[in-house]
Amino acid sequence: MIAKISSGKDTAGLIRYLYGPGRANEHTAPHLVASWDGFAPDPGRTDDATATATRKLLVADLDLHVKQARRLGRAPKQHVWHCSIRAAPGDRPLADAEWADIARRVVAATGIAPDGDPDGCRWVAVRHADDHIHITATTVRGDLRPTRHWNDFLTADRELAAIEKEYGLQQVVRGDRTAAKRPTRAEKEKARRVGHEVTARERLRTTVRTAVSVATSTEEFLGILTATDNVLVRSQRYPSGDLRGYKVALEGDTNAVGEPVWYSGSKLASDLSLPKIKGRLTAATPEPDTSERRNRSDPWHQATAATERIPHRLEQADDGAAQAHLAAFGEALDALPHLAPQNLRPQLRQAASAFERATRSRIQAEHHHARALRSAVRAMLREPAPKDGAALAMLLDTALLVALAATRWHQLRHHDQQATAAQQAHLHLQAAYDQAAAAPLAVFARRKPPAPTVELFASLVHETMPAHAQQILDDTGWEALATALADAGTAGHQPATLLRQAADQRALDDARSPARTLTWRIHRLAQRPAPSDRARAAKSVRPSHRAQAGPLAPLQPTTAEAHGRRR
């Protein structure tokens, strides 16, 4: 069930609408189902000749305390409280008595008419359709004091959640008031008139989020927005010249007097205000590092490694750090459409748009925890994307696990809207991954090693991860995995060691195709310089020497290596 609450100052106008035919003759048999004392006059149960008089009598009864308070100068300007309650599509039809009980519980929960309070406000509940009711109340109590109904939407929503469970109705996904503001009906109609599927507010929100994912400073952020086609930017500055705020508008999106319709960042979404953007961009600044090796590392591999660690971060007790990693992951999804081939961009944009809701909650994000991923994404944007598609497929494979982990993390904290958003993002990411991975996996499979080597690797899989071995060997991605292991061996790595490391990086229970997931992990691990014999010996718990079996010696599993002895 969903409640919609508004206020007004015309009791007669609202009653006339509720008992009238509706804007499109959609009202059928309007009638009262409940009232403050059970004896309120009901215009819907009278004949046409007396209906008008009965409506006037009902309005007079509702407004009684308002008129008394007005004589004393105490009446509020907006004295009408209007709450519509609608059942979810597919819910069973509720009887009038059930709707009456729901109405009484809602006015009690919101403070309009608390249980046992003889001075509660006067109210009525009108039904003119099968799936909803309207509660109308005047917000002056019997003691002529204005009622206190702060946070009435939240209290009504909590009560409706309990009602759904007790009545066996569909449990509606609820939010925590951190969602971006929804476009109004007028904005939607305006977008349709000019031939757009989404409103100006939604288009600008996507544009600003993308600019944040690319920029490294607030000035660069503004420069990216200014250079974006059809986007107008207005900045506000302090006398010192420091940036104070910004507004954006779309060219052609004007108000009644022909002026651009401006939106501040906070009007697009709470995390797009200038202070929030500054915090994220500051956290994205990489720490000074003089390591030559890190400077040469592949940013795609860095991003994949940082992404792959997110599920583990979500399992820790630090919710602020976890929220920061989810926000950084959302920025990475915002950037991916700019790096992907044309055919993948629609699904990636939909994934980013869906996951946007999962990046915000009541938990305050500590953005400095996610510096590694943000820095890697910005480095990716400044280099040409790899042409073979393997890097993108590898990143998307880890992104799938993050979407699942984010779903569980939000579910455990009862973030219903965020959990649903993460699930939707997972579906789009899965579709994008299936397209992105097809070509590079096919290349891997065509280069599969000889049958004896494949059998050797099969034994290695059974030994290393017995719980998933048969699933891996039956997977269509097994040949690609065998190729990745062979490539690693040729590069000087120990396949057994890499396979164990790949399995230890993250449990495979969430992976739809463990073989393909291991392929990408091993492919990435094999890009690192192979350790020397001396380094391997130093890390070994017991002496182990390589057999003199020619160039394929690194392909031997460790159990077989233990039988060899260097002469």
Side-chain angles (χ1 to χ4, degrees), residues 5 31 85 87 105 153 158 199 230 242 340 385-386 388 419 423 445 476 488 499 515 529 566:
I5 297 175
H31 60 279
I85 303 174
R105 292 177 61 169
F153 173 78
R158 281 197 292 266
T199 65
N230 301 320
D242 293 335
D388 62 359
Q423 287 176 326
T476 55
L499 191 58
R566 182 171 299 180

Side-chain angles (χ1 to χ4, degrees), residues 248-407:
V248 290
L250 283 179
E251 288 185 358
D253 181 40
T254 58
N255 57 20
V257 295
E259 298 174 341
V261 179
W262 294 96
Y263 298 89
S264 64
S266 59
K267 292 296 183 182
L268 297 177
S270 60
D271 60 341
L272 295 181
S273 65
L274 184 63
K276 294 289 182 65
I277 290 175
K278 281 184 175 179
R280 291 157 70 180
L281 294 179
T282 300
T285 303
E287 295 177 337
D289 190 352
T290 58
S291 169
E292 184 178 352
R293 178 180 176 183
R294 178 167 296 187
N295 290 337
R296 291 200 311 262
S297 58
D298 186 339
W300 284 84
H301 289 175
Q302 287 185 24
T304 301
T307 303
E308 197 162 36
R309 288 193 291 268
I310 293 177
H312 175 70
R313 307 294 189 196
L314 299 184
E315 293 174 355
Q316 307 304 306
D318 191 344
D319 280 1
Q323 185 67 59
H325 284 289
L326 292 178
F329 179 68
E331 291 178 27
L333 294 183
D334 290 332
L336 275 184
H338 298 275
L339 300 166
Q342 191 72 33
N343 64 312
L344 299 180
R345 291 178 185 176
Q347 288 291 356
L348 291 175
R349 288 194 184 100
Q350 289 177 299
S353 177
F355 198 81
E356 179 262 349
R357 181 65 187 99
T359 62
R360 289 189 306 274
S361 72
R362 287 290 178 184
I363 298 171
Q364 187 69 32
E366 299 172 4
H367 290 294
H368 64 276
H369 288 286
R371 180 181 284 114
L373 178 56
R374 285 192 169 93
S375 299
V377 170
R378 282 155 178 77
M380 288 162 52
L381 289 161
R382 284 161 174 75
E383 294 186 7
K387 295 182 179 180
D388 62 359
L392 177 60
M394 188 162 47
L395 180 56
L396 290 176
D397 181 67
T398 61
L400 288 169
L401 298 181
V402 174
L404 290 175
T407 300

Side-chain angles (χ1 to χ4, degrees), residues 377-547:
V377 170
R378 282 155 178 77
M380 288 162 52
L381 289 161
R382 284 161 174 75
E383 294 186 7
K387 295 182 179 180
D388 62 359
L392 177 60
M394 188 162 47
L395 180 56
L396 290 176
D397 181 67
T398 61
L400 288 169
L401 298 181
V402 174
L404 290 175
T407 300
R408 284 196 298 268
W409 189 82
H410 282 304
Q411 286 173 338
L412 289 173
R413 287 152 185 80
H414 305 289
H415 302 163
D416 296 338
Q417 288 186 355
Q418 290 90 332
T420 300
Q423 287 176 326
Q424 293 171 344
H426 181 270
L427 295 176
H428 295 299
L429 287 171
Q430 186 68 67
Y433 169 78
D434 289 342
Q435 294 182 63
L441 284 174
V443 172
F444 271 115
R446 285 197 297 269
R447 297 194 299 105
K448 67 178 180 179
T453 305
V454 174
E455 292 176 5
L456 184 64
F457 290 150
S459 300
L460 192 60
V461 169
H462 275 289
E463 178 185 333
T464 307
M465 49 191 73
H468 296 282
Q470 199 57 50
Q471 183 183 2
I472 292 170
L473 298 179
D474 292 340
D475 197 326
T476 55
W478 162 237
E479 293 181 346
L481 174 56
T483 302
L485 288 168
D487 289 346
T490 302
H493 292 275
Q494 293 290 346
T497 302
L498 289 192
L499 191 58
R500 194 175 299 110
Q501 290 177 357
D504 291 343
Q505 282 181 352
R506 180 69 188 168
L508 297 171
D509 297 330
D510 290 337
R512 192 175 72 166
S513 171
R516 288 185 287 180
T517 296
L518 288 171
T519 298
W520 301 126
R521 291 181 185 176
I522 289 171
H523 179 67
R524 180 164 50 84
L525 290 171
Q527 307 304 309
R528 302 173 181 175
S532 64
D533 290 346
R534 179 175 297 180
R536 283 198 292 266
K539 293 181 180 180
S540 178
V541 177
R542 58 191 176 89
S544 177
H545 303 283
R546 294 168 54 190

Side-chain angles (χ1 to χ4, degrees), residues 80-359:
V80 178
W81 185 83
H82 177 207
C83 175
S84 62
I85 303 174
R86 185 176 298 274
D91 278 344
R92 63 177 176 83
L94 297 174
D96 281 356
E98 292 175 308
W99 278 119
D101 176 60
I102 292 169
R104 293 188 191 98
R105 292 177 61 169
V106 169
V107 295
T110 55
I112 294 295
D115 286 334
D117 184 355
D119 289 325
C121 298
R122 294 192 166 195
W123 61 273
V124 293
V126 178
R127 183 180 188 181
H128 54 214
D130 289 338
D131 62 347
H132 69 277
I133 60 170
H134 293 262
I135 304 175
T136 300
T138 47
T139 56
V140 177
R141 293 167 43 83
D143 53 14
L144 303 188
R145 292 186 293 114
T147 188
R148 295 184 178 183
H149 55 95
W150 311 116
N151 291 324
D152 48 10
F153 173 78
L154 291 180
T155 52
D157 201 48
R158 281 197 292 266
E159 188 64 26
L160 290 177
I163 289 170
E164 289 168 352
K165 293 180 181 179
E166 294 176 23
Y167 277 72
L169 304 175
Q170 178 180 333
Q171 296 183 28
V172 175
V173 174
R174 290 179 160 81
D176 55 5
R177 305 184 78 178
T178 61
K181 184 178 179 180
R182 293 181 179 179
T184 64
R185 180 177 179 179
E187 289 175 337
K188 292 179 180 179
E189 291 178 351
K190 185 178 181 180
R192 280 196 292 268
R193 285 198 301 270
V194 296
H196 291 295
E197 295 182 1
V198 296
T199 65
R201 185 194 300 270
E202 293 169 307
R203 292 163 62 193
L204 286 169
R205 183 184 304 137
T206 300
T207 300
V208 173
R209 284 182 60 85
T210 303
V212 173
S213 71
V214 174
T216 58
S217 67
T218 52
E219 294 299 335
E220 184 181 5
F221 163 71
L222 288 179
I224 293 171
L225 286 180
T226 303
T228 303
D229 292 341
N230 301 320
V231 175
L232 306 176
V233 182
R234 177 184 291 174
S235 60
Q236 299 92 38
R237 295 183 181 271
Y238 293 106
S240 62
D242 293 335
L243 190 63
R244 182 168 62 93
Y246 75 98
K247 294 181 179 180
V248 290
L250 283 179
E251 288 185 358
D253 181 40
T254 58
N255 57 20
V257 295
E259 298 174 341
V261 179
W262 294 96
Y263 298 89
S264 64
S266 59
K267 292 296 183 182
L268 297 177
S270 60
D271 60 341
L272 295 181
S273 65
L274 184 63
K276 294 289 182 65
I277 290 175
K278 281 184 175 179
R280 291 157 70 180
L281 294 179
T282 300
T285 303
E287 295 177 337
D289 190 352
T290 58
S291 169
E292 184 178 352
R293 178 180 176 183
R294 178 167 296 187
N295 290 337
R296 291 200 311 262
S297 58
D298 186 339
W300 284 84
H301 289 175
Q302 287 185 24
T304 301
T307 303
E308 197 162 36
R309 288 193 291 268
I310 293 177
H312 175 70
R313 307 294 189 196
L314 299 184
E315 293 174 355
Q316 307 304 306
D318 191 344
D319 280 1
Q323 185 67 59
H325 284 289
L326 292 178
F329 179 68
E331 291 178 27
L333 294 183
D334 290 332
L336 275 184
H338 298 275
L339 300 166
Q342 191 72 33
N343 64 312
L344 299 180
R345 291 178 185 176
Q347 288 291 356
L348 291 175
R349 288 194 184 100
Q350 289 177 299
S353 177
F355 198 81
E356 179 262 349
R357 181 65 187 99
T359 62

